[in-house]
Amino acid sequence: MLSLKAQVHLDEPYTHRAVIRALENSSKINWTIDEDVPEDNAEKQVDPSSMHQLQWLEYELINWQNLAKNPQQTLANAYCIRKGLIRKSQFAYNVSKYLSKNPTSILKQAIPETWLFELDHVDYFEEAMNEVYEVERDLNEEGSEHMFIIKPSMANKAAGIKVFNSLEQLRAMFEEPESDEEEEEEEEEEEDDGREDLSQVREWVIQRYIKHPLLVNGRKFHIRAYVLAKSNIQVYLYKPMLALFAMKPYNTSNLEDNLIHLTNTCIQQGEEGFDEKASVKLFWELDLPKKDLNHLFEQMKHILADVFDACTSEMTTFQAMPNAFELFGVDFLVDQELNVYFLEANAFPDFKQTGDKLQYIIQELFEATHRVVIEPYFTDSQEEVIDENLIKVFEKELLAL
């Protein structure tokens, strides 16, 4: 059995433990696992004799210099440049450019209508709205039933997301707190609950809100899929997927309550009455006809193929390295006509949202990643490893930098 060294450090214990187990369960590699990773690991000069062949680390800890110097002997769990996929504003730009060249792409209907919104200060609100005049026009329409959702370009875990149907609601998001005391209280609350500080956010995206989502038991849900990108580049969709439900029944008369409209379980866990079993379900066990589930899955495969085609075509914002792989969390929404919409892709997704009951889904994902990516890389296997749960959706030979 091949003996190799691995560095492993992930901040979330749920994920860290699953990675360790996946390495320990390998039948082809005997891993010596180093979990004592220094904070300056990314800058350290590494002696080749003590080099770790695998880095499965938080992005900030990855030693990119080591990867560049030893491309045949080292492998990392992230691409250095992929903001064209995970940064909402850059992704919107890439899709827009892609559709101008590929007008028949499935992305034309699968990406909600999106606008970039930049605002330095609420005093410039009117000028900023002039840049998204379609949004302003629809909101000013008499008897308007238009709804929109605004998201910080770089935030995650539903931070800063709001649904609105008036200019007044949108403007209120950017109004200063009434007093210094109130501002201090808000900052303390954000620090206590681990939310990101959005006070310095200048770049947002506004999307047209999908107001007729498919409901199950009266509640809105989105599909969380895990996508594995390998080398430069093969992309796989992990067939076991999650359905993450909003905590409260769906209605559009109350846009202020995020527990109605947002389906991220991370915003529910501190709420009284949170029930993990009700909020996290398996996609393939939803109370829907099997043919409908298969129809949705086929759409997801086609959407992902064009999403990665669009992003990897822009080398300045997505560079797939031959000695890297990455797991992305991708969110889809379904409407009542069974159309699938791509919402966003997240690097280093919050695997803990899967919960304890379904933890085996994540464990099997990491073990499949080890078999399909890591073992062939270090054993120089030329045969492609097939895993029944990893469905290849995209392959393209990219220029390696």
Side-chain angles (χ1 to χ4, degrees):
M1 183 182 289
L2 189 63
S3 295
L4 297 173
K5 299 176 182 177
Q7 277 185 311
V8 179
H9 177 84
L10 297 160
D11 292 340
E12 174 52 60
Y14 182 101
T15 309
H16 183 93
R17 288 193 298 268
V19 169
I20 295 294
R21 283 195 294 269
L23 297 182
E24 291 176 342
N25 289 340
S26 173
S27 61
K28 294 186 177 180
I29 301 176
N30 178 28
W31 288 105
T32 299
I33 302 172
D34 179 9
E35 300 177 64
D36 186 20
V37 181
E39 292 184 3
D40 63 346
N41 189 72
E43 290 82 34
K44 290 189 73 171
Q45 297 292 326
V46 180
D47 180 352
S49 64
S50 61
M51 181 177 65
H52 295 87
Q53 285 92 346
L54 174 65
Q55 298 183 60
W56 201 322
L57 305 168
E58 291 291 336
Y59 182 88
E60 296 77 10
L61 294 175
I62 295 174
N63 191 312
W64 302 108
Q65 187 177 30
N66 185 26
L67 289 171
K69 285 184 174 180
N70 304 281
Q72 305 302 319
Q73 295 85 32
T74 57
L75 183 67
N77 65 307
Y79 295 122
C80 185
I81 298 174
R82 68 279 204 263
K83 66 179 180 180
L85 174 66
I86 64 173
R87 186 170 177 174
K88 298 176 184 66
S89 59
Q90 187 63 59
F91 175 75
Y93 173 81
N94 287 346
V95 169
S96 176
K97 186 174 178 181
Y98 184 76
L99 286 175
S100 70
K101 300 176 182 178
N102 303 274
T104 61
S105 166
I106 192 174
L107 300 186
K108 188 171 182 63
Q109 69 85 21
I111 305 292
E113 195 173 3
T114 304
W115 298 266
L116 307 184
F117 185 67
E118 295 183 80
L119 182 64
D120 292 327
H121 191 275
V122 70
D123 287 349
Y124 305 108
F125 181 78
E126 283 73 21
E127 289 88 339
M129 290 307 301
N130 289 337
E131 299 299 318
V132 291
Y133 63 90
E134 298 98 335
V135 177
E136 186 174 31
R137 175 200 64 201
D138 288 353
L139 292 177
N140 283 328
E141 182 182 299
E142 188 172 347
S144 167
E145 295 185 357
H146 296 283
M147 298 190 298
F148 299 88
I149 187 166
I150 185 168
K151 311 172 183 179
S153 181
M154 295 183 67
N156 55 23
K157 296 186 179 180
I161 298 180
K162 299 288 183 183
V163 181
F164 63 95
N165 62 359
S166 73
L167 288 170
E168 291 74 21
Q169 286 176 316
L170 179 58
R171 184 186 179 102
M173 286 182 53
F174 303 100
E175 297 283 0
E176 295 291 335
E178 294 181 2
S179 67
D180 292 341
E181 182 178 345
E182 182 179 336
E183 186 173 0
E184 289 173 7
E185 288 177 0
E186 288 186 1
E187 288 177 355
E188 287 175 6
E189 288 175 6
E190 289 183 358
E191 189 174 319
D192 289 343
D193 66 12
R195 288 181 294 167
E196 297 184 48
D197 179 11
L198 300 174
S199 62
Q200 304 303 313
V201 174
R202 299 291 179 263
E203 189 176 68
W204 308 73
V205 293
I206 295 175
Q207 288 185 325
R208 197 173 294 279
Y209 187 65
I210 301 165
K211 62 181 178 181
H212 298 298
L214 180 65
L215 306 180
V216 172
N217 298 324
R219 291 193 297 159
K220 180 181 174 182
F221 70 94
H222 81 266
I223 299 163
R224 164 50 64 93
Y226 294 112
V227 173
L228 170 64
K230 168 187 175 182
S231 187
N232 62 326
I233 190 174
Q234 297 170 358
V235 180
Y236 302 84
L237 172 59
Y238 185 53
K239 194 170 183 180
M241 298 181 292
L242 307 175
L244 303 180
F245 283 80
M247 191 170 175
K248 295 182 180 180
Y250 184 72
N251 77 79
T252 56
S253 62
N254 181 0
L255 301 185
E256 301 291 330
D257 191 345
N258 280 349
L259 295 177
I260 294 172
H261 301 281
L262 303 189
T263 47
N264 306 61
T265 56
C266 57
I267 69 170
Q268 303 173 18
Q269 291 168 347
E271 299 289 331
E272 184 177 352
F274 171 68
D275 180 1
E276 182 181 288
K277 293 180 181 178
S279 292
V280 185
K281 299 180 182 294
L282 291 174
F283 169 79
W284 295 102
E285 294 181 2
L286 291 176
D287 188 17
L288 296 170
K290 186 66 180 293
K291 65 179 181 60
D292 289 348
L293 294 174
N294 285 326
H295 174 61
L296 299 178
F297 187 68
E298 287 302 310
Q299 288 183 70
M300 286 183 258
K301 288 163 56 178
H302 292 304
I303 290 168
L304 284 170
D306 280 10
V307 160
F308 275 87
D309 195 21
C311 293
T312 56
S313 297
E314 300 297 325
M315 286 191 60
T316 58
T317 60
F318 194 110
Q319 294 178 14
M321 304 159 59
N323 58 331
F325 67 94
E326 188 153 2
L327 287 163
F328 298 97
V330 174
D331 294 335
F332 296 100
L333 190 70
V334 181
D335 71 13
Q336 293 176 4
E337 302 298 320
L338 298 183
N339 297 308
V340 176
Y341 297 86
F342 180 97
L343 298 182
E344 63 182 18
N346 300 281
F348 287 78
D350 182 11
F351 291 107
K352 192 179 180 183
Q353 284 194 73
T354 307
D356 295 328
K357 179 189 173 190
L358 300 177
Q359 194 275 341
Y360 70 90
I361 296 291
I362 303 304
Q363 190 62 51
E364 291 175 1
L365 169 61
F366 290 162
E367 293 183 7
T369 298
H370 192 281
R371 288 192 300 273
V372 171
V373 179
I374 299 174
E375 287 180 358
Y377 181 83
F378 287 111
T379 58
D380 294 323
S381 173
Q382 301 302 310
E383 282 190 32
E384 182 177 1
V385 178
I386 304 299
D387 186 286
E388 63 179 8
N389 280 330
L390 284 173
I391 313 301
K392 185 186 287 186
V393 296
F394 180 71
E395 184 170 15
K396 186 177 181 181
E397 189 168 341
L398 303 175
L399 178 64
L401 298 180

